[in-house]
Amino acid sequence: MHFLQIDGPRFNILDSAYGFQIRTSYLFADVSTIVGNTTFLITYDYIIKNLSLTRLCELVLRYPDSPPEIIEIIEGYFQMLKTMKALKHAPNNVFIAFKKVERSIQIAIKPILSGISTHAKSCGFEGIFELYKDDFFAFYNPEVDSISHKNTTINIFKVLANKAPINAIDVSIWLLPNIFYVSDIFDSDAITDINLIEENKPYLIKCITLTNYVFVSPAELTAIKQQLENEIIPFKKAMEQWAMDCHKSTNGIDSFKNKVLPTLKDTQAVIENNALFRHSRSVEAGKMVIDLHFGEVSPLLLWHYYLLHNVITDEEYNQLIEEYNTISPYTIPVILFAPDNLPFSRIDIEYYSKLGEIKLNTEVTATKKSIDIDG
């Protein structure tokens, strides 16, 4: 059973939902492929100590929440760097002044760098790097250009086109956050009742319930994985067959109904009876409940999601569609993670946008009133 996750381009909004998905993938899948900026957060504390000041400044420039004044300081520093490089033999006083600027820069960016580290730890990315295992639990940074072919990077377009990585082709089950199920992507509600599933229509069926284990240590995660491994073999085999049937034909509905569904009751029982899982539920943070909705969607919906989140360009999106139109149709098996304390329904983006505008207008009006009174 192979789980695959591609996250969004902005690592500052990759919260504990993504950390939970990655940990779930490690626990249940035989093979996991994680692609995107979560890789940056997973490896952050390991690489940050080896980066030069220049690279650290580049990182801060990329970070969306960096204050404008810090960006301005860094840009000024880079300009000074160019000047220093142009001087073959800088006067001693200039060199000393430049070193003072560098020390000031280090002090200025330290809170931002520490904040990223804190964010990574609080969202469950801490310790994940220790679980890395090539071909079994691997994570990749997205390629930034067409000539980047390092072992640590991967071409996202090829992954979305089902052409990479090699061990994921035709067998992957995609892990997706709740924000996938939105009105901008789904024209109508997905089918949520197993008895109402129809061919060529997206469905998302609540199948497994988990509690929060973002705070569980890597050693404990490994122990849970080893305890579950032999007990959920029927589930993993059924899921693997379902994934293959989705990719090789228009729908994997029969496989889902006849192979996956019969394994769910026993799988849930194994989860409920696991001692380490029970212990995690005794902690306050472990009482949060997450429902896993299994289903199938068209590749077109998946690609549209990544287009809207700026993971791929318009040109890449159109190319994916063009290529899809030349081959036999297939579906994408997905697992969507949703909090149990909220109704499971399609998120109306336009509605929530209007709520945001109303809130903003209210705040502006309230501020203006206070100014008038003070005047």
Side-chain angles (χ1 to χ4, degrees), residues 56-108:
L56 290 174
C57 286
E58 290 172 350
L59 190 158
V60 171
L61 285 180
R62 284 173 48 214
Y63 190 63
D65 283 352
S66 294
E69 58 270 21
I70 296 293
I71 293 174
E72 187 177 347
I73 291 171
I74 291 174
E75 289 174 345
Y77 166 65
F78 282 155
Q79 195 59 47
M80 289 181 68
L81 254 175
K82 288 181 181 178
T83 303
M84 291 295 291
K85 288 179 180 178
L87 295 171
K88 292 183 178 180
H89 302 287
N92 193 49
N93 63 325
V94 173
F95 181 78
I96 292 173
F98 179 71
K99 285 300 177 183
K100 285 184 178 179
V101 170
E102 285 194 321
R103 286 193 290 273
S104 297
I105 292 285
Q106 288 173 330
I107 294 170

Side-chain angles (χ1 to χ4, degrees), residues 242-252 296 330-333:
W242 173 50
M244 289 189 291
D245 288 343
C246 289
H247 284 95
K248 72 182 181 184
S249 61
T250 307
N251 294 277
E296 292 177 58
Y330 64 94
T331 58
I332 300 287

Side-chain angles (χ1 to χ4, degrees), residues 227-245:
Q227 292 169 2
L228 295 178
E229 210 150 25
N230 292 329
E231 295 187 88
I232 61 171
I233 287 175
F235 169 71
K236 291 196 290 187
K237 285 185 176 179
M239 293 286 281
E240 187 174 18
Q241 185 62 55
W242 173 50
M244 289 189 291
D245 288 343

